[in-house]
Amino acid sequence: MHDRTRPNSDRPASSQGLSSQEARRRYALYGPNQLPESTGESPLLIFLHQFNSPFIYVLLAAALVSLILNQQLNAVFILFVLLINASIGTVQEYSAQRAAVALNKMVPQYASVLRDGITQKVEAAELVPGDIVFLITGDRVAADLRLIECHDLLVDESLLTGESLAASKQSGVCSGDDSPLAERKDCAFAGTIVTHGRALGEVIATGVRSEIGQIAAEVTESDHIKPPLLKRIERFTLRISYGILVVIALLFVITLLRGADLQEVFLLGVALAVSAIPEGLPAAITVALAIGMRRMARASVIVRRLIAVESLGSCTYIASDKTGTLTVNEMTVKLIILPDERRYSVSGEGLDMHGELHCLSGGERALLPPDADKDLANLVRCGMLANEASLVLHQGEWVASGDGVDLAFLVLSSKLGFDHQQVEHLYPELQRIPYESENAFSASLNRVEGKLIIHVKGSAEKVLMMCRRDPVRPEPWEVRIEHQMLAMARKGFRVLACASGEVDVGNTDLLAVLKGLHFLGLIGMIDPLRPEAYAAVEQCRLSNIDVAMITGDHPQTALALAQELNIADAGSVPVTGDDVRRAIERDETLQEQGKPSTAMQTLVNSSRVFARIEPSQKLQIVQQLIRNGHFVAVTGDGVNDAPALRHAHVGIAMGKRGTDVARESAELIITDDNFASIVQGIKQGRLVYSNIRKVIFLLISTGAAEITLFILSVVFMLPIPLFPIQLLWLNLVTNGIQDVALAFEPEEGDELRRPPRPPKETIFNRLMLERVFVNAVVMGGLAFTVFAWQLHNGVAVETARNMTLLLMVLFENVHVLNSRSETKSIFKQNFFGNPFLLFGMLAAQSVHIAALYTPGLSDVLQVEPVTLESWSTSLSVALVLIVVDELHKLYWEKRKPLFTQCRTGDDRPPTG
C-alpha cells in the first residue's frame, strides 16, 4: 500500500513548505496542535465511586445494624475498613487511568508535511499554520486545511456535519469562512477521515482554533464504557450480594426458631455479610487489566479496547497480511526482465544506494553503465515517474517517504546513476492516477521531448491487460510473459510490470487511454521474511492457533513465502480472489436451489494461503472463518481493511504503516508491525486473563471458606467463631495486598502451549468451581474443627476465636501460593518469581502478629499473643491446604485430556 504522495518537483518555491526554523517559531507562537485532553475522572469522583457497589451497600447495612445493636466498635471498624479499601481502590484506579492515557500517547498520529523543500513525517501535534500537508486515503486530517491540490478527494465529515455520505472536495473554489461547514468544498477539517483520493493543503488552523477545537468539550467528553469483563464481574457481585442476603435470611430464621437471642442473630448476620464480601475484587481486577496493558505495551502491543485482553485468550486463527508483518517491508529490486528476455540482476539491500547491475543473458555478468541499454533506461524512467515516494539527501542523510515499492524504484534509479529529481524536472508531470489498492496500479502523464507519454507501474496482470501485442513476435507474448511471472513468483519475488505509451493531446481522461501501451518489462522485488517470524509461526502451531496469509500478491509468491514459514506445506494450493468469487457465486446458486451452501466453507478450509485477494474478499474470508467456528484475529493496515478489522473478533492494526482508519477500527495496535509481536500479545493476553482468574479465585474461595466456617457453626449450634470486626481485619490484612500482588504474577512458561480458551467459557468454569469448592471446604472445615475442638476441651470462647483468627490468617496466606497457578504445582514454580506476593504474605503475617502485641488494637480485635508452639501448630494445619490443592491439581491433570476432548468436540474445523 502506498503511504504518502511526493511534492511535484516543479512546484513554485513559495509552495516548498516552511523552513524548520520558521516551523519552530510558529510552534512557539501557536502552541501544539492538540485538543483539550479528557482528563478522566478526578480522584474525588473515583473515591466516591468506590462506594457504588452492592458489596458496599451490604457492608453499610451491616454497620447500621451494628449501631442499632450498640456495637459501635464494630460499626466504626466496618466504616474504617471501607475507607481504607476505598482509598486503596482510588489509588489503584487512578494509576490505571493514568497508565491508559500514557499508552494512548504511545501511538501518536503522524502527518506528512513539506518542510525545507522535502517531504517529512512529523507528529500531528507539531503542525503549525502555514504547513503544507499531504493527504491520502485512510488519513485522519490532523488540522484544518485549505486545499491546494485535489485528486478524487472524498472526506467523511460526519463527525462535524452529521452527513453520512463522504463529502467531495475540490481546490480553488474559495468558499467563505462564514459558509456552513458542509459547503466549504476547498477545506478539510481536523478529525475528519479521507475515504478516497489524494490532496495537498495548507494548514489554516490548529488545536483549539480548529473547527473541532471549537466544540472540543463535546468531542473529548465521552461516557466511561466498561469492558465486558468488568460488566460480568459487576453482575456477578450483584448475584453474590443477593445470595448473601438469602443465606442471611435463612440463617436468621433458623437461629430464631431455635430460640437464639435476637441481638445474637443480627450479629451473626453482620458477620456473614462481612465474611462473604470480597470488597476489593473490582479494584483488583482493574489493576490486573492495567498491569496487563503495560506488559503488552512492552511487547509492542497497544490495547485500545480492554475487550481484546479477553479475546486474545480465545484466538484460534490469525489471518495475517504479508508485507511488513511477516516480512521486513524493505522492498529491493533484484531482477529485471525486458520484453526480449534480457535479464539483469541488481545487488544491494533496502535503502542502501550501493549496488551494481549485471547482465545475466548470454552468460555475461559484466557491470553495465545506465545508458548501455535504452530499453532498460525506459523501464527505470517509467518506475521513477509513475511514483509517489520521496527520497532526498538532506544534511548528509537520505530522507525517505512513501511506499516501499516506490522507494525501491527510486533506489534502483540511484544505483544506475539516474538523478530522479532531475528526471522529474526534465519530464514534468501533467496528470496522475494515484495508487489505490482496488486499482493495483499508478500512472503518470508526463511531457517527454515534446510528446505526452503516460507511464504505468503496478500489478503485472493489470499492466499486461493495458498492453498491445508485440508485432515482432507472432506467438502469444502474454503466455511467454506469464510463464516468466510464474517462475519469478515461485522464487519468492514480488512481480511488477511497467508500460508506457503516447497519448492523444485532446484526451485528458487517463483511464480511457490505458490501452494499447508498450510493455517495458517485469521487475522482481524481494521483501525478506522477518527472522523472528519463523519462531512466531511455530509458537502459534504449538498453541493450536492456525496462521493464514492473506495478501494481494501473486499466488506463487505468497505460496513460496508461506512454505518457507511452514504456514503451508509442499502440497498446498493457494486460494485466489477468483476462487473466492466463484465460491460465493456457487453458494448463491445453491441457496436459490434450496441446497446447503458449502462452497465457501470448503474453500476457506482448504488452504492457509490466500493471494490476489481484494479488500472486500478479505472480509468475506474472515466472516466464513467465524462461521466455521474459529475465533479470528485479523491484521490490516489500509482503509479497505477496516471492515475486516471491525468484523473480526480481534482487529490488529499496524502502528507504523497503518492508516488512521485501520488503527481506529482495531482493538490492538502493533507498534513495530511485527508478526512476532502479535504472538507475544497473545501470550500476554492469556497471562492477563489467567491472572484475573487467580485474583477472583483467591477472593471468592477465601470468602466461601469464611461462610463455610459460619454455616458449620450454626448447624452445630456453636457460638459465632469470629466477630465481624475480626473478619474485617482478616480480609484487610490477607486480601488487601495479596489480591493486587497476584496481578503481577509472571508468565508460567506454558501460555503458548495451552489450547485456546473456548470463547463461550465463563470465568467460573468447571475447574474454577471445583477449586473454589475444594479449598473453601478444607479451609472452612478445618477452621471449624479447630474452633470446635478447643471449645470441647474447655478453652474459653475468646481464646478459641483468637486461635481461629490466627489459623484463618495462616490459611489465607498459604492459599495465596495455591492461587499462583490453576494447574501447575507450586513446587515447579519459581518461588521468588513474584516478590510483590512474597512481600504481601510476610506483611500480612507480620501485621497480624504485631496486632497481637499492640495495646488498644488487640483490645479492639479481642486478640492476644500466642506461643510459638501454638503458631507452629496452626501453621502445620494451614499447610494441609497445599497438600489438598496439589492432589486436586494432579487429579485434574490426569483427567484433563478427556475433559478437554469432551469440551471442544468438533468445534475446531480441519484446515488444509
Side-chain angles (χ1 to χ4, degrees):
M1 174 178 174
H2 289 220
D3 291 334
R4 298 291 166 201
T5 58
R6 58 169 172 79
N8 284 345
S9 58
D10 58 343
R11 184 166 293 127
S14 61
S15 300
Q16 293 299 304
L18 301 176
S19 66
S20 297
Q21 181 179 359
E22 177 63 17
R24 287 192 294 269
R25 188 189 71 80
R26 296 192 185 192
Y27 184 86
L29 177 63
Y30 294 103
N33 177 35
Q34 293 177 335
L35 297 179
E37 292 185 358
S38 177
T39 56
E41 293 183 337
S42 66
L44 177 60
L45 278 177
I46 295 176
F47 178 78
L48 294 176
H49 285 168
Q50 303 302 310
F51 298 94
N52 185 22
S53 164
F55 286 166
I56 305 304
Y57 301 155
V58 175
L59 286 177
L60 288 173
L64 180 62
V65 171
S66 298
L67 284 174
I68 295 173
L69 298 177
N70 291 321
Q71 298 284 329
Q72 288 87 353
L73 191 58
N74 279 337
V76 170
F77 201 78
I78 289 174
L79 295 175
F80 174 74
V81 170
L82 288 178
L83 288 174
I84 292 293
N85 278 327
S87 300
I88 294 173
T90 300
V91 172
Q92 292 170 342
E93 289 196 30
Y94 186 73
S95 298
Q97 179 177 281
R98 293 296 87 198
V101 172
L103 288 179
N104 287 333
K105 292 181 178 179
M106 292 181 66
V107 188
Q109 182 185 350
Y110 289 96
S112 186
V113 303
L114 187 63
R115 285 186 183 171
D116 298 319
I118 63 173
T119 306
Q120 302 181 37
K121 195 174 185 180
V122 301
E123 287 195 25
E126 298 177 8
L127 289 181
V128 296
D131 263 328
I132 304 298
V133 177
F134 299 92
L135 297 176
I136 66 164
T137 303
D139 278 352
R140 176 176 286 279
V141 182
D144 286 1
L145 308 176
R146 181 80 65 185
L147 299 175
I148 301 171
E149 297 178 5
C150 284
H151 185 91
D152 296 337
L153 186 66
L154 297 176
V155 181
D156 179 0
E157 296 182 334
S158 56
L159 175 70
L160 294 174
T161 66
E163 293 288 342
S164 58
L165 296 178
S168 176
K169 298 291 182 177
Q170 52 187 305
S171 58
V173 294
C174 298
S175 59
D177 292 339
D178 56 348
S179 302
L181 293 182
E183 297 180 10
R184 299 187 195 177
K185 300 298 183 182
D186 63 335
C187 292
F189 302 104
T192 60
I193 295 290
V194 178
T195 61
H196 189 274
R198 303 285 197 277
L200 183 70
E202 180 181 353
V203 176
I204 57 176
T206 59
V208 294
R209 298 175 183 84
S210 64
E211 293 294 336
I212 198 173
Q214 304 297 318
I215 52 173
E218 298 176 14
V219 174
T220 55
E221 288 179 2
S222 58
D223 294 333
H224 178 62
I225 300 176
K226 296 183 179 179
L229 176 62
L230 290 184
K231 290 181 179 179
R232 290 208 301 268
I233 293 298
E234 288 182 352
R235 289 196 295 268
F236 167 74
T237 60
L238 191 62
R239 289 195 290 268
I240 286 287
S241 300
Y242 290 149
I244 291 170
L245 294 176
V246 170
V247 171
I248 290 175
L250 288 175
L251 292 177
F252 187 91
V253 172
I254 292 173
T255 50
L256 276 182
L257 292 176
R258 289 178 175 176
D261 181 68
L262 183 61
Q263 180 170 336
E264 182 180 349
V265 173
F266 271 111
L267 194 60
L268 173 64
V270 171
L272 282 171
V274 169
S275 63
I277 293 176
E279 58 277 356
L281 182 58
I285 291 177
T286 300
V287 172
L289 288 171
I291 292 170
M293 289 174 66
R294 285 197 291 268
R295 284 178 171 175
M296 294 174 77
R298 287 197 293 270
S300 301
V301 180
I302 305 300
V303 179
R304 293 190 66 250
R305 300 183 181 96
L306 285 178
I307 184 176
V309 175
E310 293 182 83
S311 302
L312 279 174
S314 300
C315 179
T316 65
Y317 201 106
I318 302 176
S320 174
D321 58 359
K322 176 179 69 68
T323 304
T325 306
L326 295 170
T327 64
V328 298
N329 197 26
E330 292 183 1
M331 301 298 298
T332 306
V333 176
K334 286 292 188 180
L335 181 63
I336 299 172
I337 302 180
L338 299 179
D340 60 2
E341 301 189 26
R342 278 174 293 159
R343 295 167 176 258
Y344 295 93
S345 68
V346 186
S347 61
E349 299 290 340
L351 294 180
D352 184 3
M353 302 300 170
H354 300 90
E356 298 177 342
L357 181 74
H358 292 90
C359 180
L360 302 180
S361 303
E364 292 185 66
R365 290 192 59 84
L367 176 64
L368 298 178
D371 57 352
D373 190 324
K374 183 179 179 181
D375 292 337
L376 175 64
N378 287 336
L379 181 145
V380 174
R381 184 179 67 188
C382 178
M384 283 189 286
L385 295 176
N387 197 299
E388 300 177 74
S390 173
L391 186 62
V392 180
L393 187 62
H394 181 63
Q395 297 180 351
E397 294 185 1
W398 286 102
V399 179
S401 175
D403 176 67
V405 170
D406 281 352
L407 286 171
F409 272 100
L410 297 186
V411 172
L412 172 66
S413 67
S414 295
K415 290 178 180 178
L416 271 59
F418 290 101
D419 184 337
H420 63 270
Q421 291 179 311
Q422 184 180 18
V423 170
E424 292 169 0
H425 180 73
L426 289 175
Y427 309 122
E429 181 181 277
L430 305 177
Q431 201 172 341
R432 177 194 300 175
I433 299 178
Y435 180 89
E436 295 288 351
S437 56
E438 62 266 27
N439 295 334
F441 71 89
S442 61
S444 175
L445 178 64
N446 304 82
R447 190 177 299 278
V448 180
E449 299 175 356
K451 300 178 181 179
L452 297 183
I453 304 297
I454 190 166
H455 302 87
V456 182
K457 166 181 61 65
S459 155
E461 293 93 336
K462 286 277 189 178
V463 174
L464 278 177
M465 293 172 61
M466 306 174 188
C467 296
R468 65 177 184 270
R469 284 181 173 272
D470 189 346
V472 179
R473 293 176 174 81
E475 74 275 10
W477 63 280
E478 299 99 326
V479 175
R480 174 171 49 83
I481 293 175
E482 286 172 358
H483 285 315
Q484 293 172 346
M485 291 164 45
L486 187 60
M488 294 169 71
R490 284 174 175 166
K491 295 179 180 179
F493 285 107
R494 179 174 181 180
V495 185
L496 287 91
C498 289
S500 65
E502 188 174 352
V503 177
D504 184 359
V505 177
N507 196 332
T508 57
D509 183 3
L510 293 191
L511 289 175
V513 299
L514 294 179
K515 56 186 177 181
L517 302 181
H518 176 61
F519 181 71
L520 297 178
L522 298 174
I523 300 93
M525 295 185 176
I526 288 291
D527 184 9
L529 290 169
R530 290 182 180 270
E532 58 272 28
Y534 298 90
V537 171
E538 177 63 16
Q539 284 181 325
C540 287
R541 188 187 66 79
L542 295 174
S543 305
N544 292 318
I545 299 173
D546 291 326
V547 179
M549 179 189 294
I550 302 181
T551 179
D553 215 336
H554 192 283
Q556 292 302 319
T557 302
L559 181 61
L561 295 177
Q563 288 173 339
E564 190 174 346
L565 284 172
N566 288 326
I567 292 176
D569 54 34
S572 297
V573 177
V575 171
T576 67
D578 289 338
D579 295 332
V580 172
R581 189 177 300 106
R582 286 192 292 268
I584 292 174
E585 292 173 354
R586 174 63 176 161
D587 280 342
E588 291 174 351
T589 302
L590 291 173
Q591 287 178 349
E592 292 173 358
Q593 297 173 352
K595 299 178 182 179
S597 52
T598 59
M600 189 65 177
Q601 176 183 356
T602 304
L603 180 68
V604 169
N605 281 341
S606 69
S607 180
R608 292 195 185 104
V609 183
F610 302 86
R612 286 291 189 249
I613 298 298
E614 298 174 1
S616 60
Q617 294 173 334
K618 186 173 184 177
L619 172 60
Q620 293 166 334
I621 292 170
V622 170
Q623 291 174 327
Q624 185 60 56
L625 287 169
I626 293 173
R627 288 193 292 268
N628 289 355
H630 280 292
F631 204 85
V632 184
V634 173
T635 70
D637 60 6
V639 63
N640 291 319
D641 290 323
L645 292 171
R646 289 195 189 98
H647 284 81
H649 293 105
V650 185
I652 304 173
M654 301 298 106
K656 284 186 176 180
R657 61 190 173 89
T659 61
D660 299 323
V661 174
R663 290 193 288 186
E664 292 185 9
S665 300
E667 287 81 23
L668 300 177
I669 297 175
I670 306 300
T671 59
D672 59 359
D673 293 8
N674 191 343
F675 183 82
S677 297
I678 299 174
V679 179
Q680 287 301 311
I682 291 174
K683 181 171 76 171
Q684 292 300 327
R686 290 185 178 186
L687 175 59
V688 169
Y689 189 79
S690 175
N691 285 349
I692 289 174
R693 285 175 59 89
K694 294 171 186 177
V695 172
I696 294 173
F697 167 67
L698 173 69
L699 295 177
I700 298 301
S701 57
T702 53
E706 294 164 11
I707 285 286
T708 301
L709 170 62
F710 271 81
I711 290 177
L712 290 174
S713 299
V714 170
V715 170
F716 289 93
M717 292 183 288
L718 295 181
I720 294 176
L722 294 173
F723 286 127
I725 196 170
Q726 293 173 324
L727 285 167
L728 282 170
W729 174 258
L730 171 64
N731 291 345
L732 181 65
V733 299
T734 57
N735 294 338
I737 301 176
Q738 287 95 321
D739 55 356
V740 176
L742 274 177
F744 287 89
E745 272 295 297
E747 59 190 68
E748 296 181 30
D750 63 345
E751 282 79 10
L752 289 178
R753 292 193 296 273
R754 301 172 188 169
R757 176 176 61 89
K760 295 182 181 180
E761 182 180 86
T762 61
I763 292 177
F764 285 89
N765 60 358
R766 182 170 178 174
L767 175 59
M768 175 79 82
L769 291 173
E770 280 189 17
R771 296 191 72 219
V772 167
F773 177 79
V774 170
N775 284 272
V777 168
V778 171
M779 281 189 286
L782 286 177
F784 169 76
T785 301
V786 170
F787 180 67
W789 179 83
Q790 291 179 94
L791 295 179
H792 180 74
N793 287 277
V795 176
V797 66
E798 292 81 6
T799 303
R801 288 189 179 116
N802 181 47
M803 290 302 300
T804 303
L805 178 60
L806 173 63
L807 178 60
M808 289 300 293
V809 170
L810 289 169
F811 261 137
E812 298 194 11
N813 271 297
V814 167
H815 189 48
V816 172
L817 296 176
N818 288 337
S819 303
R820 293 188 65 192
S821 176
E822 293 188 278
T823 58
K824 192 174 183 179
S825 168
I826 65 171
F827 303 108
K828 295 181 180 179
Q829 302 172 42
N830 181 4
F831 185 76
F832 300 99
N834 187 352
F836 297 102
L837 195 64
L838 296 179
F839 169 78
M841 293 171 58
L842 293 174
Q845 190 60 43
S846 300
V847 168
H848 183 68
I849 292 175
L852 302 180
Y853 292 90
T854 303
L857 182 58
S858 60
D859 297 332
V860 170
L861 296 176
Q862 299 184 42
V863 294
E864 58 186 14
V866 298
T867 64
L868 180 60
E869 180 182 0
S870 297
W871 184 87
S872 300
T873 302
S874 297
L875 178 61
S876 300
V877 175
L879 290 175
V880 172
L881 187 63
I882 289 182
V883 177
V884 172
D885 196 66
E886 288 293 303
L887 290 174
H888 180 265
K889 289 177 180 177
L890 184 63
Y891 169 69
W892 178 265
E893 283 297 314
K894 287 186 176 180
R895 68 190 179 112
K896 182 176 66 173
L898 178 61
F899 174 71
T900 303
Q901 182 180 359
C902 294
R903 181 185 64 181
T904 58
D906 294 325
D907 290 341
R908 292 285 304 280
T911 305

